[in-house]
Structure formats: structure tokens, C-alpha cells
Amino acid sequence: MTAPPVEKTPTPAPEAPVRPSRRLRKEAERDFVPAGLRGTPGGRIVRGVLLTIAALATIFPFYAMVVLSLKPSAAVEFPGSLLPWPLTGEAYDSVLGSQDVPRWLLNTLVYSVVSVVGVLLLASLAGYAFAKKRFPGREAMFWSFLSMVMVPYHVTMIPTFAMIAKLGGVDTYWGLIVPTLANAQAVFLMRQFIQGLPDELFEAARLDGCSEWQVFRRIVLPLLKPILATLGVFVFLWHWNDFLWPLVIGQSTDMRTLTVGIASLQQQNVPLNVVLSGSVIAFVPIFAAYLVGQRYFTEGVTASGIKG
């Protein structure tokens, strides 16, 4: 007697993967929209209104900074001073025509750009060594280095300044830059990203006769573009806005950065529109750096979120 044929249960088709943008929209709706309105036209309207309010609240300080920097030198009256008329560029003429501000801008550019290059190079080399190389004491050395993140910066600033002063680094570019190159957070991010790269790539490169430097230059660095751009934007932002270390190490007017210089203008009873025009000038390079690395920045943040 033949057994009755067994009916096969149809295999359900795999669900299409949810795109990150759709997932983010669902998370935003879950966080901001009441449960009864989720997924409805009313919920989308509520979400849009809330996001618009949040965007306006974020943009308003920048709008006020730009408008007040274009106002004549007079007493500030709210809300009348926030109206976009009358406008004048006399504050920018005063700032750009002075001898100090261009020098402060140059100092800040040198400090930020050189620090970004140095931090990315050292962090990528250290991250590659900690992630893919085997040597005695690797884990102990890595976690000891990472423990620097838990030490307050103000604790190490005094001994660092004492060492730099003994070496003659006060009021010099190298004294300003060198102490900031050992960035434990950058090394940690590089190590975590490189750990996710397949070992077969490195083994194949070594079988083809590549040296360790060639493996790093031809395999590791091209794959690190997203995280390098992301970390580069953050490091540039940290150094561009840094205030305490440039204030301590740059004791002459010629070695001040923009943040220190703008703060000194406030102490000299300089008009508010002049101070804010300096702030606008200081903001432009940060915004330009983000625009240049925006694509890689987004890829790096997405990749870091997926790995985490």
C-alpha cells in the first residue's frame, strides 16, 4: 500500500529587507508620535510638525548669529534686532581688515588640518596593529591606552604643559599640535572597524608578495575611507573649536586661535556685531568640511551603527 503523498508546505517568500531610511522613519514615528496615531495620515502630520519645530529651534541660533553680525553697531533690541533689515557689512570689514583675525584664522587652520592628518595616520596604523597583528601584551597595551579616555583632560594638562615648556614648545606650532595627536577614541574606532575586515584579504595580499606597508596602503586605507572621513570631520571639529589648550600654550597674540581670539575680543568691549562676525567666519570652514565629507560621513555613521 502506497503512502499518501505528503503535501509540502509552501515556503514563505523572504521578506524584503527594510531600508535604513524606512527603519529610521519608523523609529522616529515610534518615538515622537502617540500610539493611536502611528501609521495614519494624522501621525505623519504630527511627526512632520514636531520635526519642523525641532529643525527651527536648531537653526534659530545660527540665524540670529548671522543677522546680528550684519546689523550696525547699536544696542540689541529683541525681537526688532532679529529682523533681516537693515543690513550692513561694516562688522566684517572691521574683522577682516584687522591684522589679528587673519593670523588667528591661519593658526586655527594649521592646528586643525595638521592635527587631522596626524591623528588619522597614527590612529589607522595603531588600529591596524591592534586589530590584525599578534604580539605579546597586545590586549593589555590596548586597554591601557584606551583607559586614557576615562582620565579627565584637565588632570593631564598641567604635566603636559610642563613637558612642552621644558622642551621649548610654548608659542610654537609643534607645541600646539603634538600633544593632541595621541587620540584614544580614534584608535578605538579604527580598531573596531578594521576587526570587521576579512582576514582573507590580508592573507591573499601577503601571498602576492606585499609587504606590511603595502598591505596597509593598498588594502587597509582604501577600505577605511568612510571611517576616515567620519573621524576626520569630528577631529577637525574638535580642534577647530578647541579653547583650553590653545589658550594655555599660545601665550602671545600671534599664536592665538580663533576661539581664543574671539574670547579676547569680548574682554575688550568690542561691539557685539564684530564678535558675531568673527563667529560666523569661524563657522564657515566647519560647514565646508562637513559638505566635502558628507557622503563618506553618512556611510561611516551607517557602517558604525550596523557593526554596533
Side-chain angles (χ1 to χ4, degrees), residues 124-272:
S124 58
L125 288 170
Y128 172 60
F130 284 128
K132 296 299 182 182
K133 307 302 292 182
R134 301 292 182 268
F135 53 88
R138 183 189 66 169
E139 294 299 322
M141 186 182 301
F142 172 72
W143 290 109
S144 298
F145 182 70
L146 189 62
S147 64
M148 293 172 54
V149 178
M150 297 182 289
V151 179
Y153 172 70
H154 307 82
V155 174
T156 61
M157 184 179 63
I158 295 176
T160 302
F161 175 78
M163 288 189 294
I164 295 298
K166 272 190 173 296
L167 296 174
V170 177
D171 274 343
T172 62
Y173 282 123
W174 75 263
L176 180 67
I177 295 170
V178 169
T180 64
L181 298 182
N183 193 314
Q185 294 176 343
V187 173
F188 175 75
L189 290 176
M190 287 292 182
R191 186 240 191 191
Q192 295 302 106
F193 190 88
I194 296 175
Q195 271 189 332
L197 302 179
D199 294 333
E200 291 77 7
L201 289 175
F202 307 100
E203 295 173 0
R206 294 189 184 97
L207 290 176
D208 290 340
C210 291
S211 63
E212 287 299 328
W213 173 250
Q214 289 174 330
V215 170
F216 176 77
R217 183 169 57 89
R218 297 181 179 180
I219 304 297
V220 178
L221 281 183
L223 295 175
L224 288 181
K225 283 183 180 179
I227 193 66
L228 285 174
T230 304
L231 190 58
V233 172
F234 282 121
V235 173
F236 184 84
L237 181 63
W238 294 336
H239 287 81
W240 188 270
N241 291 329
D242 193 9
F243 177 80
L244 188 56
W245 179 247
L247 175 65
V248 171
I249 202 69
Q251 298 184 356
S252 65
T253 305
D254 290 339
M255 283 303 298
R256 289 176 179 172
T257 58
L258 270 177
T259 52
V260 179
I262 292 173
S264 67
L265 291 179
Q266 293 177 334
Q267 297 176 354
Q268 300 171 12
N269 294 324
V270 175
L272 179 62

Side-chain angles (χ1 to χ4, degrees), residues 189 193 227 230 298-308:
L189 290 176
F193 190 88
I227 193 66
T230 304
T298 306
E299 293 177 2
V301 171
T302 304
S304 301
I306 292 175
K307 290 179 182 296

Side-chain angles (χ1 to χ4, degrees), residues 92-151:
Y92 290 90
D93 294 337
S94 176
V95 169
L96 297 176
S98 67
Q99 297 180 353
D100 293 332
V101 174
R103 175 70 182 187
W104 298 342
L105 181 61
L106 175 63
N107 294 340
T108 311
L109 281 173
V110 172
Y111 177 46
S112 302
V113 173
V114 176
S115 296
V116 166
V117 175
V119 167
L120 294 184
L121 178 61
L122 295 177
S124 58
L125 288 170
Y128 172 60
F130 284 128
K132 296 299 182 182
K133 307 302 292 182
R134 301 292 182 268
F135 53 88
R138 183 189 66 169
E139 294 299 322
M141 186 182 301
F142 172 72
W143 290 109
S144 298
F145 182 70
L146 189 62
S147 64
M148 293 172 54
V149 178
M150 297 182 289
V151 179

